[in-house]
Short mmCIF file of all heavy atoms in Angstrom, two decimals:
data_model
loop_
_atom_site.label_atom_id
_atom_site.label_comp_id
_atom_site.label_asym_id
_atom_site.label_seq_id
_atom_site.Cartn_x
_atom_site.Cartn_y
_atom_site.Cartn_z
N VAL B 12 67.98 89.87 145.78
CA VAL B 12 67.16 89.89 144.57
C VAL B 12 67.71 90.94 143.60
O VAL B 12 67.82 90.70 142.39
CB VAL B 12 65.68 90.18 144.90
CG1 VAL B 12 64.86 90.37 143.62
CG2 VAL B 12 65.09 89.04 145.73
N PHE B 13 68.07 92.11 144.13
CA PHE B 13 68.61 93.15 143.25
C PHE B 13 69.93 92.71 142.63
O PHE B 13 70.24 93.07 141.49
CB PHE B 13 68.80 94.47 144.00
CG PHE B 13 69.28 95.58 143.10
CD1 PHE B 13 68.42 96.18 142.20
CD2 PHE B 13 70.61 95.99 143.13
CE1 PHE B 13 68.87 97.17 141.34
CE2 PHE B 13 71.06 96.98 142.27
CZ PHE B 13 70.19 97.57 141.38
N ASP B 14 70.71 91.95 143.37
CA ASP B 14 71.99 91.47 142.83
C ASP B 14 71.75 90.65 141.56
O ASP B 14 72.55 90.72 140.61
CB ASP B 14 72.72 90.63 143.88
CG ASP B 14 74.12 90.25 143.42
OD1 ASP B 14 74.94 91.16 143.20
OD2 ASP B 14 74.38 89.04 143.26
N VAL B 15 70.66 89.91 141.52
CA VAL B 15 70.30 89.16 140.32
C VAL B 15 69.72 90.08 139.26
O VAL B 15 70.12 90.07 138.09
CB VAL B 15 69.31 88.02 140.65
CG1 VAL B 15 68.75 87.39 139.37
CG2 VAL B 15 69.98 86.97 141.51
N ALA B 16 68.76 90.92 139.66
CA ALA B 16 68.08 91.81 138.71
C ALA B 16 69.07 92.77 138.04
O ALA B 16 68.88 93.15 136.88
CB ALA B 16 66.99 92.60 139.42
N SER B 17 70.11 93.15 138.76
CA SER B 17 71.08 94.11 138.22
C SER B 17 71.91 93.52 137.08
O SER B 17 72.64 94.24 136.40
CB SER B 17 72.02 94.60 139.33
OG SER B 17 72.85 93.53 139.79
N GLN B 18 71.80 92.21 136.87
CA GLN B 18 72.56 91.56 135.81
C GLN B 18 71.76 91.44 134.50
O GLN B 18 72.28 90.98 133.49
CB GLN B 18 72.99 90.16 136.26
CG GLN B 18 73.88 90.17 137.49
CD GLN B 18 74.24 88.77 137.95
OE1 GLN B 18 74.61 87.91 137.16
NE2 GLN B 18 74.15 88.54 139.26
N LEU B 19 70.50 91.84 134.52
CA LEU B 19 69.65 91.70 133.34
C LEU B 19 70.04 92.68 132.24
O LEU B 19 70.33 93.85 132.51
CB LEU B 19 68.19 91.93 133.72
CG LEU B 19 67.51 90.86 134.57
CD1 LEU B 19 66.21 91.39 135.15
CD2 LEU B 19 67.26 89.61 133.73
N LYS B 20 70.03 92.20 131.01
CA LYS B 20 70.18 93.08 129.86
C LYS B 20 68.87 93.84 129.66
O LYS B 20 67.81 93.42 130.13
CB LYS B 20 70.51 92.27 128.61
CG LYS B 20 71.88 91.64 128.60
CD LYS B 20 72.16 90.91 127.30
CE LYS B 20 71.39 89.61 127.21
NZ LYS B 20 71.81 88.80 126.04
N ASP B 21 68.94 94.94 128.94
CA ASP B 21 67.74 95.74 128.71
C ASP B 21 66.61 94.93 128.08
O ASP B 21 65.45 95.04 128.49
CB ASP B 21 68.05 96.95 127.83
CG ASP B 21 68.81 98.04 128.59
OD1 ASP B 21 69.00 97.88 129.81
OD2 ASP B 21 69.21 99.04 127.96
N ASN B 22 66.93 94.12 127.08
CA ASN B 22 65.87 93.37 126.40
C ASN B 22 65.40 92.16 127.20
O ASN B 22 64.49 91.45 126.78
CB ASN B 22 66.30 92.95 124.99
CG ASN B 22 67.47 91.98 124.98
OD1 ASN B 22 67.91 91.51 126.02
ND2 ASN B 22 67.98 91.70 123.79
N GLN B 23 66.02 91.93 128.36
CA GLN B 23 65.52 90.92 129.29
C GLN B 23 64.57 91.56 130.31
O GLN B 23 63.96 90.87 131.11
CB GLN B 23 66.69 90.24 130.00
CG GLN B 23 67.54 89.38 129.07
CD GLN B 23 68.79 88.84 129.75
OE1 GLN B 23 69.34 89.46 130.68
NE2 GLN B 23 69.25 87.68 129.30
N LYS B 24 64.50 92.89 130.23
CA LYS B 24 63.57 93.63 131.09
C LYS B 24 62.37 94.13 130.29
O LYS B 24 61.22 93.90 130.66
CB LYS B 24 64.30 94.80 131.77
CG LYS B 24 65.26 94.37 132.85
CD LYS B 24 65.98 95.55 133.50
CE LYS B 24 67.27 95.87 132.80
NZ LYS B 24 68.16 96.74 133.61
N VAL B 25 62.66 94.85 129.19
CA VAL B 25 61.55 95.39 128.39
C VAL B 25 61.80 95.14 126.90
O VAL B 25 62.95 95.12 126.44
CB VAL B 25 61.36 96.91 128.62
CG1 VAL B 25 61.00 97.20 130.06
CG2 VAL B 25 62.60 97.70 128.23
N THR B 26 60.70 94.95 126.20
CA THR B 26 60.73 94.86 124.74
C THR B 26 59.61 95.77 124.22
O THR B 26 58.87 96.37 125.00
CB THR B 26 60.48 93.43 124.24
OG1 THR B 26 59.17 93.02 124.66
CG2 THR B 26 61.53 92.47 124.79
N LYS B 27 59.48 95.85 122.93
CA LYS B 27 58.42 96.67 122.35
C LYS B 27 57.04 96.14 122.75
O LYS B 27 56.08 96.90 122.87
CB LYS B 27 58.55 96.70 120.83
CG LYS B 27 57.75 97.81 120.17
CD LYS B 27 58.17 98.03 118.74
CE LYS B 27 57.47 99.26 118.16
NZ LYS B 27 57.92 99.54 116.78
N GLU B 28 56.96 94.84 123.01
CA GLU B 28 55.68 94.22 123.32
C GLU B 28 55.38 94.14 124.81
O GLU B 28 54.21 94.09 125.20
CB GLU B 28 55.63 92.78 122.75
CG GLU B 28 55.67 92.68 121.25
CD GLU B 28 57.06 92.93 120.66
OE1 GLU B 28 58.04 92.62 121.37
OE2 GLU B 28 57.15 93.44 119.53
N ASN B 29 56.41 94.15 125.66
CA ASN B 29 56.13 93.83 127.07
C ASN B 29 57.16 94.43 128.01
O ASN B 29 58.20 94.94 127.60
CB ASN B 29 56.12 92.31 127.25
CG ASN B 29 55.07 91.87 128.25
OD1 ASN B 29 54.62 92.66 129.07
ND2 ASN B 29 54.68 90.61 128.20
N THR B 30 56.83 94.37 129.31
CA THR B 30 57.72 94.79 130.40
C THR B 30 58.00 93.59 131.29
O THR B 30 57.34 92.57 131.20
CB THR B 30 57.06 95.90 131.24
OG1 THR B 30 55.82 95.40 131.78
CG2 THR B 30 56.77 97.14 130.39
N LYS B 31 59.00 93.71 132.15
CA LYS B 31 59.37 92.64 133.09
C LYS B 31 59.44 91.29 132.38
O LYS B 31 58.90 90.28 132.85
CB LYS B 31 58.38 92.58 134.26
CG LYS B 31 58.47 93.75 135.20
CD LYS B 31 57.55 93.64 136.40
CE LYS B 31 56.12 93.90 136.05
NZ LYS B 31 55.27 94.22 137.21
N VAL B 32 60.14 91.26 131.26
CA VAL B 32 60.09 90.12 130.34
C VAL B 32 60.50 88.82 131.02
O VAL B 32 59.73 87.84 131.03
CB VAL B 32 60.98 90.40 129.11
CG1 VAL B 32 61.03 89.18 128.20
CG2 VAL B 32 60.47 91.62 128.35
N LEU B 33 61.70 88.76 131.60
CA LEU B 33 62.16 87.49 132.17
C LEU B 33 61.54 87.21 133.53
O LEU B 33 61.40 86.05 133.91
CB LEU B 33 63.69 87.47 132.26
CG LEU B 33 64.44 87.44 130.92
CD1 LEU B 33 65.89 87.03 131.13
CD2 LEU B 33 63.78 86.52 129.91
N LEU B 34 61.15 88.25 134.26
CA LEU B 34 60.43 88.01 135.51
C LEU B 34 59.13 87.27 135.21
O LEU B 34 58.74 86.35 135.94
CB LEU B 34 60.13 89.33 136.22
CG LEU B 34 59.36 89.18 137.54
CD1 LEU B 34 60.24 88.49 138.60
CD2 LEU B 34 58.89 90.53 138.05
N ARG B 35 58.46 87.66 134.14
CA ARG B 35 57.22 86.97 133.76
C ARG B 35 57.47 85.50 133.43
O ARG B 35 56.67 84.63 133.78
CB ARG B 35 56.58 87.68 132.56
CG ARG B 35 56.09 89.08 132.86
CD ARG B 35 55.46 89.72 131.63
NE ARG B 35 55.20 91.14 131.85
CZ ARG B 35 54.12 91.62 132.46
NH1 ARG B 35 53.18 90.78 132.89
NH2 ARG B 35 53.95 92.92 132.61
N GLU B 36 58.59 85.23 132.77
CA GLU B 36 58.90 83.85 132.43
C GLU B 36 59.20 83.02 133.68
O GLU B 36 58.82 81.84 133.76
CB GLU B 36 60.09 83.80 131.46
CG GLU B 36 59.77 84.35 130.08
CD GLU B 36 58.62 83.61 129.43
OE1 GLU B 36 58.63 82.35 129.43
OE2 GLU B 36 57.69 84.28 128.94
N ALA B 37 59.86 83.62 134.64
CA ALA B 37 60.12 82.90 135.90
C ALA B 37 58.81 82.67 136.66
O ALA B 37 58.57 81.59 137.22
CB ALA B 37 61.10 83.70 136.77
N ALA B 38 57.97 83.70 136.69
CA ALA B 38 56.69 83.59 137.39
C ALA B 38 55.78 82.56 136.74
O ALA B 38 54.97 81.91 137.41
CB ALA B 38 56.01 84.96 137.42
N ARG B 39 55.91 82.43 135.44
CA ARG B 39 55.07 81.49 134.69
C ARG B 39 55.20 80.06 135.22
O ARG B 39 54.28 79.24 135.10
CB ARG B 39 55.48 81.55 133.21
CG ARG B 39 54.63 80.75 132.27
CD ARG B 39 55.13 80.96 130.84
NE ARG B 39 54.27 80.32 129.86
CZ ARG B 39 54.44 80.43 128.56
NH1 ARG B 39 55.44 81.16 128.08
NH2 ARG B 39 53.63 79.81 127.73
N LYS B 40 56.34 79.77 135.81
CA LYS B 40 56.58 78.42 136.33
C LYS B 40 55.67 78.07 137.50
O LYS B 40 55.39 76.88 137.73
CB LYS B 40 58.04 78.29 136.80
CG LYS B 40 59.09 78.37 135.70
CD LYS B 40 60.47 78.15 136.30
CE LYS B 40 61.54 78.11 135.23
NZ LYS B 40 62.88 77.78 135.80
N VAL B 41 55.23 79.08 138.24
CA VAL B 41 54.49 78.77 139.48
C VAL B 41 53.07 79.35 139.51
O VAL B 41 52.24 78.88 140.29
CB VAL B 41 55.26 79.27 140.72
CG1 VAL B 41 56.58 78.51 140.87
CG2 VAL B 41 55.51 80.77 140.67
N ILE B 42 52.78 80.38 138.70
CA ILE B 42 51.44 80.97 138.72
C ILE B 42 50.50 80.07 137.90
O ILE B 42 50.76 79.83 136.72
CB ILE B 42 51.45 82.40 138.14
CG1 ILE B 42 52.32 83.31 138.99
CG2 ILE B 42 50.02 82.95 138.09
CD1 ILE B 42 52.43 84.74 138.44
N PRO B 43 49.41 79.58 138.49
CA PRO B 43 48.56 78.61 137.80
C PRO B 43 47.60 79.21 136.77
O PRO B 43 46.98 78.49 136.02
CB PRO B 43 47.78 77.96 138.95
CG PRO B 43 47.71 79.01 140.00
CD PRO B 43 49.02 79.75 139.90
N ASN B 44 47.44 80.54 136.76
CA ASN B 44 46.60 81.15 135.73
C ASN B 44 47.45 82.06 134.85
O ASN B 44 48.68 81.94 134.84
CB ASN B 44 45.41 81.89 136.35
CG ASN B 44 45.83 83.08 137.20
OD1 ASN B 44 47.00 83.47 137.20
ND2 ASN B 44 44.88 83.66 137.91
N GLU B 45 46.83 82.98 134.13
CA GLU B 45 47.58 83.81 133.18
C GLU B 45 47.95 85.19 133.73
O GLU B 45 48.23 86.11 132.96
CB GLU B 45 46.79 83.94 131.88
CG GLU B 45 46.63 82.60 131.16
CD GLU B 45 46.10 82.75 129.75
OE1 GLU B 45 45.57 83.83 129.43
OE2 GLU B 45 46.23 81.79 128.97
N ALA B 46 47.99 85.33 135.05
CA ALA B 46 48.36 86.61 135.66
C ALA B 46 49.79 87.00 135.30
O ALA B 46 50.14 88.18 135.32
CB ALA B 46 48.21 86.54 137.17
N TYR B 47 50.61 86.01 134.96
CA TYR B 47 52.03 86.31 134.65
C TYR B 47 52.18 87.19 133.42
O TYR B 47 53.21 87.84 133.24
CB TYR B 47 52.82 85.01 134.46
CG TYR B 47 52.47 84.24 133.20
CD1 TYR B 47 53.12 84.50 132.01
CD2 TYR B 47 51.47 83.27 133.22
CE1 TYR B 47 52.80 83.80 130.85
CE2 TYR B 47 51.14 82.57 132.07
CZ TYR B 47 51.80 82.84 130.89
OH TYR B 47 51.48 82.16 129.75
N LYS B 48 51.15 87.24 132.56
CA LYS B 48 51.29 88.07 131.36
C LYS B 48 50.33 89.26 131.34
O LYS B 48 50.24 89.97 130.35
CB LYS B 48 51.08 87.22 130.11
CG LYS B 48 49.71 86.56 129.98
CD LYS B 48 49.70 85.73 128.68
CE LYS B 48 48.35 85.08 128.46
NZ LYS B 48 48.33 84.25 127.23
N LYS B 49 49.65 89.49 132.47
CA LYS B 49 48.69 90.59 132.53
C LYS B 49 49.41 91.93 132.67
O LYS B 49 50.39 92.04 133.39
CB LYS B 49 47.73 90.39 133.71
CG LYS B 49 46.54 91.33 133.69
CD LYS B 49 45.55 90.94 134.78
CE LYS B 49 44.35 91.87 134.73
NZ LYS B 49 44.70 93.25 135.01
N LYS B 50 48.91 92.93 131.98
CA LYS B 50 49.51 94.26 132.06
C LYS B 50 49.26 94.89 133.42
O LYS B 50 48.26 94.62 134.08
CB LYS B 50 48.95 95.17 130.96
CG LYS B 50 49.44 94.80 129.57
CD LYS B 50 48.99 95.82 128.54
CE LYS B 50 49.56 95.49 127.18
NZ LYS B 50 49.15 96.48 126.14
N LYS B 51 50.17 95.78 133.80
CA LYS B 51 50.13 96.42 135.11
C LYS B 51 48.94 97.38 135.23
O LYS B 51 48.69 98.18 134.34
CB LYS B 51 51.43 97.19 135.35
CG LYS B 51 51.48 97.92 136.68
CD LYS B 51 52.82 98.63 136.82
CE LYS B 51 52.90 99.38 138.12
NZ LYS B 51 52.81 98.49 139.27
N LEU B 52 48.22 97.28 136.37
CA LEU B 52 47.17 98.26 136.70
C LEU B 52 47.61 99.13 137.88
O LEU B 52 47.48 100.33 137.86
CB LEU B 52 45.86 97.54 137.05
CG LEU B 52 45.05 96.98 135.87
CD1 LEU B 52 43.81 96.27 136.38
CD2 LEU B 52 44.66 98.07 134.91
N GLY B 53 48.15 98.49 138.93
CA GLY B 53 48.71 99.26 140.04
C GLY B 53 47.70 100.02 140.87
O GLY B 53 47.72 101.24 140.91
N PHE B 54 46.78 99.31 141.55
CA PHE B 54 45.77 99.94 142.39
C PHE B 54 45.05 101.07 141.66
O PHE B 54 45.05 102.23 142.09
CB PHE B 54 46.39 100.48 143.68
CG PHE B 54 46.65 99.42 144.72
CD1 PHE B 54 47.89 99.31 145.31
CD2 PHE B 54 45.65 98.54 145.10
CE1 PHE B 54 48.14 98.33 146.27
CE2 PHE B 54 45.89 97.56 146.05
CZ PHE B 54 47.12 97.45 146.64
N PRO B 55 44.43 100.79 140.52
CA PRO B 55 43.77 101.85 139.76
C PRO B 55 42.58 102.44 140.49
O PRO B 55 41.91 101.75 141.26
CB PRO B 55 43.32 101.12 138.48
CG PRO B 55 43.13 99.70 138.93
CD PRO B 55 44.19 99.45 139.96
N VAL B 56 42.33 103.73 140.27
CA VAL B 56 41.27 104.47 140.96
C VAL B 56 40.53 105.34 139.93
O VAL B 56 41.17 106.00 139.12
CB VAL B 56 41.86 105.37 142.07
CG1 VAL B 56 40.75 106.11 142.81
CG2 VAL B 56 42.70 104.55 143.05
N PRO B 57 39.19 105.38 139.98
CA PRO B 57 38.43 106.18 139.01
C PRO B 57 38.35 107.67 139.36
O PRO B 57 37.31 108.31 139.25
CB PRO B 57 37.04 105.54 139.06
CG PRO B 57 36.93 104.95 140.41
CD PRO B 57 38.32 104.51 140.80
N LEU B 58 39.47 108.25 139.76
CA LEU B 58 39.48 109.66 140.17
C LEU B 58 39.16 110.61 139.02
O LEU B 58 38.51 111.64 139.22
CB LEU B 58 40.85 110.03 140.75
CG LEU B 58 41.00 110.01 142.26
CD1 LEU B 58 42.43 110.33 142.64
CD2 LEU B 58 40.04 110.98 142.93
N ARG B 59 39.64 110.28 137.84
CA ARG B 59 39.41 111.15 136.69
C ARG B 59 37.90 111.38 136.50
O ARG B 59 37.45 112.51 136.29
CB ARG B 59 40.01 110.52 135.44
CG ARG B 59 39.79 111.33 134.18
CD ARG B 59 40.35 110.62 132.95
NE ARG B 59 41.81 110.70 132.89
CZ ARG B 59 42.64 109.70 133.16
NH1 ARG B 59 42.14 108.53 133.55
NH2 ARG B 59 43.94 109.85 133.06
#
């Protein structure tokens, strides 16, 4: 997987509007809802 990911150009990874740009497009093919474009939360916790 890294061998493929290591070939990505910067703007195929991040843009001003989004992250994981082309991964989201690949995921869009199989994810049946709109999770492919949801922003990252990463196990959020209300510690603050």
Side-chain angles (χ1 to χ4, degrees):
V12 173
F13 183 74
D14 187 62
V15 171
S17 66
Q18 299 178 45
L19 290 165
K20 291 183 287 188
D21 285 355
N22 64 6
Q23 293 173 330
K24 288 180 270 196
V25 298
T26 62
K27 196 165 187 177
E28 294 76 30
N29 217 340
T30 59
K31 290 184 285 198
V32 176
L33 292 196
L34 179 68
R35 293 180 190 277
E36 291 302 312
R39 186 178 185 176
K40 294 183 175 185
V41 295
I42 298 178
N44 64 9
E45 295 192 344
Y47 70 88
K48 61 181 182 181
K49 191 172 181 297
K50 288 187 176 181
K51 179 179 179 62
L52 284 178
F54 281 129
V56 182
L58 263 177
R59 178 183 285 105

